[in-house]
Amino acid sequence: MRRDIFQAIADPTRRAIIALIALQAMTPNAIADNFNTTRQAISKHLRILTECELIKQEHQGREIYYSLEVDKMKEIDKWLEQFRAIWETRFNQLDELLLNMKTQSKK
Amino acid sequence: MRRDIFQAIADPTRRAIIALIALQAMTPNAIADNFNTTRQAISKHLRILTECELIKQEHQGREIYYSLEVDKMKEIDKWLEQFRAIWETRFNQLDELLLNMKTQSKK
DNA sequence: TATATGCGCAACTATTCGGTTTCGCAAATT
DNA sequence: AATTTGCGAAACCGAATAGTTGCGCATATA
């Protein structure tokens, strides 16, 4: 069973859940109120998010509050890091500029 | 058919392809050499990545060079933006500190 | 103690996904 | 002109996914 953050955030419902509980911890029922599916479906998403540690539980009586595990979100940021260097270089557009000059001189 | 960047980067092979062609444009065969699958499987991944515009083609004779569409990668970064504010706040750990003080005073 | 509520889990289903094999086409090479 | 090479598209298959319904177990409430 594949279970990593990238697969977890692939589902739009799960991204919405993440955005929801990022602001405040919420119970499954409260979360499910925001969607057109059953509580059980949301429960399944919460399980997946919990398994890859993107969110964490906090039991309070019979209620369970889910909240965002911010540190895990940083891992996505860490993956992007390697490309950030590229798009910052391209922003200078030095290589593209040189390429264009080369191409145009041939015409 | 669901086709968005998040679903595209969910697959580890596709993330590897992205990392590969980020450095230089490559043909499908050259890309496939780096994996234990068939060229056709890679071709399918390339189609998905192309469809959501994460990569672009450049025809050169009978060869097709694939390269990264850097701007599209920024969209992932843009999504993370909303959470960056949170983890920068949490870095101060002000709220957590206050919560701990409150909890411990009850004991 | 009986009932209602909040929740996760298991079983089932339709759909999607990643992979393979087979094919056809166009560009190179002979 | 015949053959090889690079490629995408289609058909097919097993596994995973997102959803449903039904269940059982705690914790509250009457």
Side-chain angles (χ1 to χ4, degrees), chain B residues 20 26-40 42:
Chain B
L20 255 180
M26 290 173 81
T27 62
N29 271 323
I31 296 167
D33 282 344
N34 295 276
F35 301 95
N36 287 331
T37 55
T38 56
R39 176 191 58 79
Q40 280 84 348
I42 297 297

Side-chain angles (χ1 to χ4, degrees), chain B residues 16-106:
Chain B
I17 290 175
I18 289 173
L20 255 180
I21 66 173
L23 307 167
Q24 63 196 320
M26 290 173 81
T27 62
N29 271 323
I31 296 167
D33 282 344
N34 295 276
F35 301 95
N36 287 331
T37 55
T38 56
R39 176 191 58 79
Q40 280 84 348
I42 297 297
S43 192
K44 266 186 151 186
H45 285 304
L46 290 172
R47 196 162 87 94
I48 290 168
L49 290 168
T50 306
E51 275 176 12
C52 68
E53 295 174 296
L54 264 170
I55 64 174
K56 58 172 181 282
Q57 305 181 330
E58 196 183 325
H59 294 259
Q60 211 162 100
R62 69 178 166 186
E63 293 185 328
I64 300 176
Y65 283 86
Y66 286 90
S67 60
L68 193 60
E69 198 73 84
V70 190
D71 279 343
K72 204 71 179 182
M73 292 292 288
K74 291 185 192 171
E75 284 191 20
I76 305 163
D77 201 54
K78 217 182 291 171
W79 179 73
L80 275 179
E81 196 58 47
Q82 59 184 314
F83 305 107
R84 202 163 287 131
I86 297 170
W87 74 57
E88 271 159 14
T89 310
R90 297 253 174 111
F91 183 68
N92 302 334
Q93 292 184 324
L94 241 176
D95 49 354
E96 244 118 88
L97 190 73
L98 289 169
L99 197 73
N100 286 338
M101 286 172 71
K102 219 168 144 187
T103 313
Q104 277 165 15
S105 66
K106 281 184 188 168

Side-chain angles (χ1 to χ4, degrees), chain A residues 2 5 28-29 38 48-49 53 78 84 87:
Chain A
R2 192 158 46 103
I5 21 170
N29 271 323
T38 55
I48 290 168
L49 289 168
E53 296 173 294
K78 217 181 292 171
R84 202 164 287 129
W87 74 57

Side-chain angles (χ1 to χ4, degrees), chain A residues 27-29 39-40 43 47 62 64 66:
Chain A
T27 63
N29 271 323
R39 177 190 58 78
Q40 280 85 346
S43 193
R47 197 162 86 94
R62 71 179 164 185
I64 299 176
Y66 287 90

